[in-house]
Every structure is written in structure tokens, then in C-alpha cells.
């Protein structure tokens, strides 16, 4: 399992390494929030300043956090096409000023025809890179249904208004950033899989268009105009689903049956938010089909009995404890989390304080747990799932919006791998989210909870999170992109803010340790954690591997009612005040 896991992770992580340090593109409006400044009013933090600006425009027009979040999601579809978009899905976590939290699940679904051996061709299991391009990996997109539901229930501005900035970016053009260029270079096979992708982003010599090139995407502008004028059902009925079905069923590789009925049947779902407590703070995040909430909350809860504040960020023992707790929570995640509409998921049990107290007792500050396995949380007594390896990638974007009345949205949007399946429909990429299923439905004679089934949603790691202070008021809204490293990034940010008393911006700059439920632990290559390798080895971590992790987080924190933005210093992201 260890070797298999390492092999699965290696390729995507190396690809990410080529595109992390960049000069950010300029947003249309200033000023940009910094770690020092606090602002009254609203704010948007996103992985691209042009998308953050789109959200901020909504706030300035009297829109609320939901309006801003939808406009940001749409703009990211245009300017960060490698990461997320209307051809993918996402999770939306919202609170009002009174702290009432709702979550909406806009995760992609497998077509009705899908089955546990979906990723087997001629009896042979496809490798991850074989499975990504073409039709097999495409789930019915959920972001437009999510946006429609969120807008209907929480939005304020007219629907069409939310599309204006994204349409302008697509119609008038946007510049290729260093990050997009790097992604086009390292993922040319997928980004340039179709003639539409090649025409948009590559020159006649087959090279990506240089940084700074103005790209116009008129097909995307027309798609967005149709959605703005015709409403969200335009995405699920008529010409658009016909085009999606044509692309998926006639894909040059991995053609698969997806029907217009599959697309028409898509529904975004209300899910109960999962919340837990950490040192008097309340942490709410996304439950199944995401593993975000359970992994973040369980890891933090098991750490509560240790004084991380006193240990400090420079202590190898602190990072050892974080890694140990993460190993335990990821082991549970790997075994138990999947779409709870298809399999029983003991999500409440996985964050049950009494259960976690017993799990935490396994953690020793002076020594590594020799081998970690999943526990038996309440509700899991009769479940006998297998323990699959993880193979998630990093084509995702997180953004946070807060308005002046105190509503806040934490929204993670994705097309899964960079440029998704490579298939394009009228200017946008279709996701490859179905590779987030475990492609092998059975291991060692036991079924895998997250196996493919018709109509099911693949398990996610996305962790759009809200943290409320002991006074009940919102303190931090945070999330990240980066596949299975997402909970690890969010955990690190929360510990930075709560235990180490850091501004959120500095907390996002902290290094990341990633301990995905196996004996190997990964530390961020080139970070201060590398100097701790001997100390971590002395604590018993024989397998500490420095790795170029795909890290990209965004956050906003609230300090005495004012806002302070944060965007991952490894990314092109920025926070922009209203
Ligand atoms: N598809 C992944 C998930 O839902 C996210 C990919 C990424 O963040 O890069 O967990």
C-alpha cells in the first residue's frame, strides 16, 4: 500500500511543483488586503485577483456574500480554467451574521450507467493517467445547480448580474499568468487534448502561449451569456447537455455513455453541516461526500490535549503531534468516507469527542505510533470496508467572501485534475471528478466504500471551513486546493491562528506536514520542516519524505468586526476589500 500510494501521488505533485511561484496578475481594482491591514465592509479572497475582483464588484453593487461567491466562481471558470469552473462541482458553506451555518453539495455525479468496474477496460484496471482524459472520468457537473440553489436561498442581486464580470473577462480577454503557463506546459496532453483547447491556449508550434498573452474565449462568453439570460436550467436542459453528451460519448479516448437524462436529473443537495469544537472555538465544514469536515475536526480534536501553543511552531514535537493526529484521522477517512446517500458513513461517530479521546490516547509526544489503522467510530461497528489508497489530484480553487452585514461564504470549486478531463464544451473544461472514486471496487476480498456506482458522488477532500470564536462570532473562513492535502492545509491554518496566534496570512505561509493515514509522512519541500527531519526521525518517523506538495489556500479572518485577508504566498491569490 505504501509504494502504491507514493507512486500515485508522485506525478501530480511533481507537476504542481512547476507552477507555484509567480507574479500575481493585476486586479482591476485596488487596494489589495495585506496581512497587516484590517478593513471594514466586505472582502473576497480568491486564487486569482481578477476573480476576487469579480466578487468584490458584487459587494460594491449591494450584493451579499453569496452573490460575491457565485461571481467569483464564474470568473475563476474563465481566468483559472485549469482549476475549477462550470464544468465541475463544488461545496458551499455559508453562515449568516447570527452564526447559522448551511452547506450545499454541488458535487459531480456518476452517470446512471456507471458501475463498480467503470474504470476497467477489457478487464484491466486503467492507471490514473489513463483514466483522466476522455469520457470515463466525467461526472455530471454540479456548480451551476449549486449556484442556482445558493442564489435562490441566499442571494440578493439579480442572477444575470453575477455573470457580468466573468462574461467581460471571457469576451475582452485575460492575460496568461505564470501559473497558468506552467500548468499548460506540464499538462499539455490534457489541456491540448482537443482542438478547442489547443486553439485557445497553444501556438502553432504546440507551445503554450507565453505569459502575458491576452486570451479571448468568445465561446465561453456566449455560454455564460446564455446562462445569465436563460437561468441555471439552461445548463441542464437543451443545447448545453446535448453538447456535453456528444463530447463524452464521442471522446477520442475513453468514450462513455452519459445521457441528457443524467444531466437533467442533477440536483444540488442541502447537507447538514458537520461541526466540532477546538479549544472553545467552533469549527464547521463539509460533510460527506466530502471527507473535509471529519478529517479537519477529528485531527484538531485529538490535538486538544496537547499544548501546541507552548510548544510553538518551531518545535519538531508540535509537528510530530500534528502528523500523528492526522495519520489517525486520515486512516478513518480512507476507510469510511464516501457518498452517504449510497453507503452508511459514520460521520458523526468520526468526530465524536469520546471516540476521539480514545484515539488521541494512542498519540505519544515522545514516540511515533508504529502502525496506524482505522478505528471503529460509533456507527461503524458493522462496517467492514477495505482500506484503499488515495489518488487525488489538484485542479481546484478555494475562495472566501464576507459581506458588510456579516454573512460569509467558504466555497471550494473544482474540475479535479488540471484541465479536468481535457474535453471542452463551448469554452469550458469538463471535469474528471470520477477519478476521485476508488477505481478498484474491492481489495483483499472487502468492498471499498468509495467504489463507483451509478448516480453516486465521488468522495472529496475539499474542506470549505468556518471557525467561530468562543464569543460565537465568525473568526476565520478558510479552505484550500490540493487534493488529499486540503484538510492538512486547513488544519495547519487553524492551528496557526488559534494556537500560534498568527495573522491568517502568516498561518497560510506556515509549512505543511501531510500524513495521509499511512506510515510515510510528507513534509513541504524547501520549507523550515526540512531542518526538522533528524528530530522527526529521532521520534520514530522513519519515512519522512520532503515533497513538492500542491498547496494553495485562501482565507479571511475577522478581528473585532473588521476583516483581514489572506492568500497563500505560494500562489497568485489575493484578498480584495470592498
Ligand atoms: N478533486 C479533489 C477533491 O474533491 C480536489 C482536487 C484538488 O484540490 O486539487 O477532493
Amino acid at each position: 500500500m505504501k509504494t502504491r500510494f507514493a507512486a500515485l501521488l508522485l506525478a501530480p505533485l511533481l507537476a504542481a511543483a512547476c507552477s507555484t511561484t509567480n507574479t500575481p496578475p493585476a486586479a482591476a481594482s485596488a487596494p489589495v488586503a495585506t496581512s497587516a491591514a484590517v478593513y471594514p465592509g466586505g472582502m473576497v479572497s480568491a486564487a486569482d485577483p481578477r476573480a476576487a475582483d469579480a466578487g468584490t464588484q458584487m459587494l460594491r453593487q449591494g450584493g451579499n456574500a453569496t452573490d460575491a461567491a457565485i461571481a467569483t466562481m464564474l470568473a475563476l471558470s474563465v481566468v483559472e480554467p485549469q482549476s475549477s469552473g462550470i464544468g465541475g462541482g463544488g461545496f458551499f458553506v455559508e453562515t449568516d451574521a447570527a452564526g447559522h451555518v448551511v452547506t450545499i453539495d454541488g458535487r459531480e455525479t456518476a452517470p446512471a450507467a456507471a458501475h463498480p468496474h467503470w474504470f476497467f477496460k477489457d478487464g484491466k484496471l486503467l492507471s490514473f493517467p489513463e483514466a483522466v482524459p476522455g469520457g470515463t472520468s466525467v461526472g455530471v457537473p454540479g456548480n451551476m445547480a449549486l449556484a442556482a440553489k445558493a442564489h435562490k436561498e441566499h442571494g440578493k442581486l439579480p442572477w444575470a448580474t453575477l455573470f457580468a464580470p466573468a462574461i467581460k473577462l471571457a469576451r475582452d480577454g485575460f492575460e496568461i499568468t505564470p501559473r497558468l503557463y506552467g500548468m499548460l506546459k506540464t499538462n499539455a496532453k490534457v489541456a491540448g487534448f482537443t482542438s478547442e483547447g489547443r486553439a485557445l491556449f497553444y501556438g502553432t508550434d504546440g507551445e503554450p502561449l507565453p505569459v502575458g498573452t491576452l486570451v479571448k474565449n468568445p465561446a465561453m462568453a456566449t455560454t455564460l451569456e446564455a446562462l445569465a439570460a436563460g437561468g441555471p436550467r439552461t445548463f441542464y436542459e437543451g443545447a448545453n447537455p446535448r453538447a456535453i453528451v456528444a463530447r463524452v460519448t464521442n471522446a477520442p479516448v475513453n468514450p462513455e455513455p452519459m445521457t441528457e437524462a443524467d444531466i437533467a436529473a442533477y440536483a444540488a443537495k442541502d447537507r447538514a453541516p458537520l461541526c466540532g469544537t477546538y479549544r472553545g472555538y467552533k469549527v464547521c465544514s463539509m460533510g460527506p461526500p466530502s471527507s473535509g469536515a471529519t478529517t479537519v475536526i477529528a485531527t484538531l480534536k485529538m490535538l486538544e490535549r496537547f499544548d501546541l501553543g507552548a510548544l510553538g511552531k518551531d518545535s519538531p514535537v508540535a509537528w510530530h503531534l500534528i502528523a500523528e493526529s492526522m495519520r489517525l484521522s486520515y486512516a478513518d477517512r480512507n476507510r469510511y468516507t464516501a457518498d452517504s446517500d449510497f453507503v452508511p458513513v459514520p460521520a458523526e461517530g468520526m468526530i465524536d469527542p469520546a471516540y476521539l479521546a480514545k484515539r488521541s490516547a494512542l498519540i505519544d509526544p515522545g514516540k511515533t505510533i508504529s502502525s496506524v489503522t482505522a478505528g471503529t467510530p460509533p456507527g461503524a461497528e458493522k462496517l467492514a470496508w477495505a482500506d484503499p489508497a488515495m489518488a487525488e489530484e489538484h485542479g481546484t480553487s478555494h475562495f472566501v467572501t464576507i459581506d458588510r452585514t456579516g454573512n460569509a461564504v467558504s466555497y471550494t470549486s473544482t474540475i479535479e485534475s488540471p484541465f479536468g478531463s481535457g474535453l471542452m464544451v463551448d469554452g469550458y473544461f469538463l471535469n474528471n471528478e470520477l477519478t476521485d472514486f476508488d477505481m478498484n471496487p474491492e481489495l483483499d476480498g472487502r468492498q471499498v466504500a468509495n467504489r463507483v456506482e451509478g448516480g453516486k458522488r465521488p468522495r472529496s477532500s475539499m474542506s470549505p471551513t468556518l471557525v467561530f470564536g468562543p464569543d460565537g462570532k465568525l473568526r476565520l473562513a478558510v479552505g484550500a486546493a490540493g487534493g488529499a492535502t486540503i484538510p492538512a492545509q486547513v488544519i495547519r491554518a487553524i492551528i496557526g491562528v488559534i494556537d500560534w496566534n498568527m495573522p491568517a496570512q502568516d498561518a497560510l505561509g506556515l509549512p505543511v506536514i501531510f500524513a495521509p493515514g499511512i506510515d510515510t509522512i510528507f513534509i513541504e519541500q524547501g520549507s523550515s520542516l526540512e531542518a526538522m527531519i533528524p528530530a522527526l526521525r529521532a521520534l520514530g518517523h522513519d519515512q519522512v519524505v520532503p515533497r513538492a506538495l500542491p498547496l494553495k489556500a485562501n482565507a479571511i479572518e475577522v478581528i473585532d468586526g473588521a476583516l483581514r485577508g489572506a492568500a497563500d504566498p505560494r500562489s497568485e491569490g489575493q484578498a480584495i476589500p470592498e
Side-chain angles (χ1 to χ4, degrees), residues 46-48 50-51 74-85 174 177 179-180 183 201 395-399 413 415 419 429 481 552 554 571-573:
D48 187 296
R50 297 161 296 188
L74 294 168
L76 284 168
S77 304
V78 179
V79 299
E80 207 197 19
Q82 72 271 29
S83 295
S84 68
F174 61 98
T177 67
R179 190 178 184 98
L180 174 54
M183 288 284 183
F201 297 116
T396 297
S397 224
H398 182 77
F399 38 99
S413 172
I415 51 169
F419 308 100
F429 283 98
K552 192 178 72 173
N554 287 81
S571 78
E572 296 174 341

Side-chain angles (χ1 to χ4, degrees), residues 164-469:
I167 292 170
K168 188 165 164 44
L169 286 161
R171 180 81 57 210
D172 297 351
F174 61 98
E175 285 183 12
I176 294 196
T177 67
R179 190 178 184 98
L180 174 54
Y181 177 83
M183 288 284 183
L184 289 166
K185 187 96 185 153
T186 48
N187 299 282
K189 267 202 178 139
V190 182
F193 184 58
T194 63
S195 52
E196 193 177 350
R198 286 193 296 278
L200 262 181
F201 297 116
Y202 293 88
T204 43
D205 57 357
E207 283 296 307
L209 298 173
V211 173
T213 308
L214 190 75
V215 173
K216 294 186 180 175
N217 188 343
M220 181 63 159
T222 304
T223 298
L224 292 169
E225 280 160 1
L227 287 165
R233 288 311 298 167
T234 312
F235 192 88
Y236 295 96
E237 284 159 16
N240 186 61
R242 276 199 296 281
I244 296 178
V245 166
R247 298 296 185 282
V248 172
T249 54
N250 301 318
V253 301
N254 298 331
E256 282 296 350
M258 179 184 276
T259 65
E260 288 181 51
D262 286 325
I263 299 170
Y266 186 87
K269 297 186 181 181
D270 288 316
R271 301 279 185 193
L274 280 185
C275 300
T277 58
Y278 180 59
R279 305 194 197 284
Y281 289 75
K282 184 166 119 177
V283 180
C284 296
S285 192
M286 194 69 215
S290 184
S291 59
T294 53
T295 311
V296 169
I297 294 167
T299 306
L300 292 171
K301 198 72 190 166
M302 288 186 281
L303 286 168
E304 211 171 37
R305 71 189 180 92
F306 301 105
D307 193 348
L308 295 182
L311 286 166
K313 68 176 177 50
D314 299 320
S315 155
V317 175
W319 292 97
H320 155 72
L321 293 171
I322 295 168
E324 293 292 87
S325 187
M326 213 182 279
R327 286 171 73 202
L328 292 165
S329 65
Y330 270 86
D332 279 2
R333 165 212 189 270
N334 299 345
R335 183 179 294 179
Y336 295 116
T337 326
D339 183 345
S340 51
D341 290 344
F342 281 73
V343 296
V345 180
E348 292 288 350
M350 292 164 80
I351 56 168
D352 176 65
Y355 165 69
L356 293 172
K358 274 191 247 151
R359 290 284 273 174
S360 177
L362 299 171
I363 304 174
D364 182 338
K367 181 159 102 317
T368 305
I369 306 166
S370 55
S371 185
V372 158
T373 53
T376 309
E381 297 79 2
K382 295 197 177 134
L383 302 177
W385 303 123
D387 292 312
M390 283 183 277
E392 291 171 39
E393 281 222 18
H394 49 275
T396 297
S397 224
H398 182 77
F399 38 99
V400 174
T401 61
I402 301 186
D403 64 35
R404 54 174 57 243
T405 65
N407 302 300
V409 173
S410 198
Y411 184 166
T412 315
S413 172
T414 184
I415 51 169
E416 204 335 67
S417 303
F419 308 100
S421 64
L423 297 175
M424 290 194 82
V425 176
D426 299 332
Y428 66 88
F429 283 98
L430 282 173
N431 69 85
N432 68 304
E433 214 68 50
L434 301 193
T435 57
D436 271 359
F437 281 117
D438 286 301
M439 298 198 278
N440 208 343
E442 213 178 281
L443 288 170
D444 308 325
R446 286 187 293 156
Q447 282 201 315
V448 174
N450 185 36
R451 64 190 178 279
V452 185
E453 296 178 73
K456 193 176 177 183
R457 299 177 182 211
R459 180 186 63 208
S460 170
S461 299
M462 297 193 287
S463 314
T465 299
L466 299 172
V467 180
F468 298 87

Side-chain angles (χ1 to χ4, degrees), residues 11-21 183 186 394 525 547-551:
L13 298 185
L14 288 179
C18 305
S19 54
T20 44
T21 37
M183 288 284 183
T186 48
H394 49 275
Q525 202 167 60
R547 186 58 63 79
L549 299 170
L551 309 175

